[in-house]
Amino acid sequence: NAGVTQTPKFQVLKTGQSMTLQCAQDMNHEYMSWYRQDPGMGLRLIHYSVGAGITDQGEVPNGYNVSRSTTEDFPLRLLLAAPSQTSVYFCASRRQGHTGELFFGEGSRLTVL
Amino acid sequence: GIQVEQSPPDLILQEGANSTLRCNFSDSVNNLQWFHQNPWGQLINLFYIPSGTKQNGRLSATTVATERYSLLYISSSQTTDSGVYFCAVELGDYKLSFGAGTTVTVRA
């Protein structure tokens, strides 16, 4: 049981490039989310999804796109990378509803030059 | 949105000491979790505790939902307890909000 798997673990981009951070979970969780973590600021919610075909914005959605075509996968897309998007990104999932534990992937460290 | 405040921001402990971390939140919540982020960056679930008291080994947590706070107790601290402890809460809007964390350093 792999849990929540994120790829890649490290990535360096140039300003203006695009890329996709992949997230997959094998726990049949309906809820999935993306967070970014910056020094001294805790984790901030970017986007979330409560099921296949349903996504919504979190606290800091600008510059990011998401889609949810399957229960298992929830990719995060950066269309025009900017230095302000240099951060560590975490994907997380939990069962359906508002309760229950949130389980995190190991994170993806992104640097935009 | 909901405000989450953690205290203290930093804590230095001698191995074997006990400590209490606090999480205050600004509204009624239906979800509260404590996480430990280890020095390698991994986020590990400690407790799912929207109310009541739970214990897991040397760690325990209490949430008093009516007074909008939660406490995490670390007893007989070990160097492996070092890292950042986060409290996260949710109003029921699918948006789990994190506090800024308490950085714990346990010295041998």
Side-chain angles (χ1 to χ4, degrees):
Chain A
N1 191 339
V4 180
T5 302
Q6 292 183 231
T7 57
K9 288 186 169 44
F10 300 94
Q11 183 72 49
V12 178
L13 289 179
K14 294 181 180 178
T15 297
Q17 288 185 322
S18 63
M19 77 156 300
T20 300
L21 297 175
Q22 302 290 346
C23 176
Q25 53 89 12
D26 61 0
M27 297 175 281
N28 201 31
H29 285 169
E30 292 292 328
Y31 178 89
M32 296 185 74
S33 56
W34 278 101
Y35 285 84
R36 60 177 288 173
Q37 183 176 28
D38 301 297
M41 297 188 71
L43 283 81
R44 293 181 292 169
L45 181 65
I46 304 171
H47 285 285
Y48 66 95
S49 168
V50 298
I54 306 170
T55 65
D56 207 343
Q57 297 181 351
E59 180 185 356
V60 288
N62 292 341
Y64 307 96
N65 284 348
V66 292
S67 60
R68 184 93 180 272
S69 56
T70 67
T71 299
E72 293 78 19
D73 301 298
F74 190 44
L76 179 72
R77 297 182 184 86
L78 287 72
L79 297 180
L80 289 171
S84 60
Q85 293 178 304
T86 294
S87 188
V88 181
Y89 292 85
F90 287 95
C91 180
S93 73
R94 73 174 185 219
R95 67 182 188 205
Q96 188 177 28
H98 298 287
T99 59
E101 294 178 81
L102 192 66
F103 294 92
F104 280 87
E106 294 189 345
S108 298
R109 183 175 294 274
L110 175 66
T111 301
V112 183
L113 302 175
Chain B
I2 191 168
Q3 303 301 312
V4 185
E5 295 182 354
Q6 292 187 242
S7 59
D10 299 280
L11 192 58
I12 299 175
L13 300 171
Q14 202 63 33
E15 199 169 28
N18 302 329
S19 63
T20 301
L21 283 59
R22 186 177 180 101
C23 172
N24 291 334
F25 42 94
S26 61
D27 208 334
S28 299
V29 297
N30 65 350
N31 191 333
L32 188 148
Q33 284 186 252
W34 283 96
F35 296 89
H36 175 220
Q37 187 168 38
N38 65 24
W40 296 271
Q42 292 178 306
L43 283 158
I44 300 162
N45 291 325
L46 295 178
F47 295 102
Y48 168 73
I49 187 167
S51 64
T53 298
K54 291 186 178 180
Q55 182 160 5
N56 185 0
R58 295 180 297 101
L59 300 180
S60 62
T62 295
T63 297
V64 184
T66 53
E67 297 187 20
R68 300 181 185 172
Y69 72 89
S70 183
L71 302 174
L72 178 69
Y73 305 96
I74 305 174
S75 64
S76 303
S77 59
Q78 301 178 359
T79 55
T80 52
D81 295 330
S82 295
V84 183
Y85 290 80
F86 289 105
C87 168
V89 302
E90 182 180 331
L91 282 172
D93 56 358
Y94 294 110
K95 299 176 182 178
L96 195 68
S97 296
F98 282 72
T102 294
T103 300
V104 173
T105 303
V106 181
R107 293 180 173 165

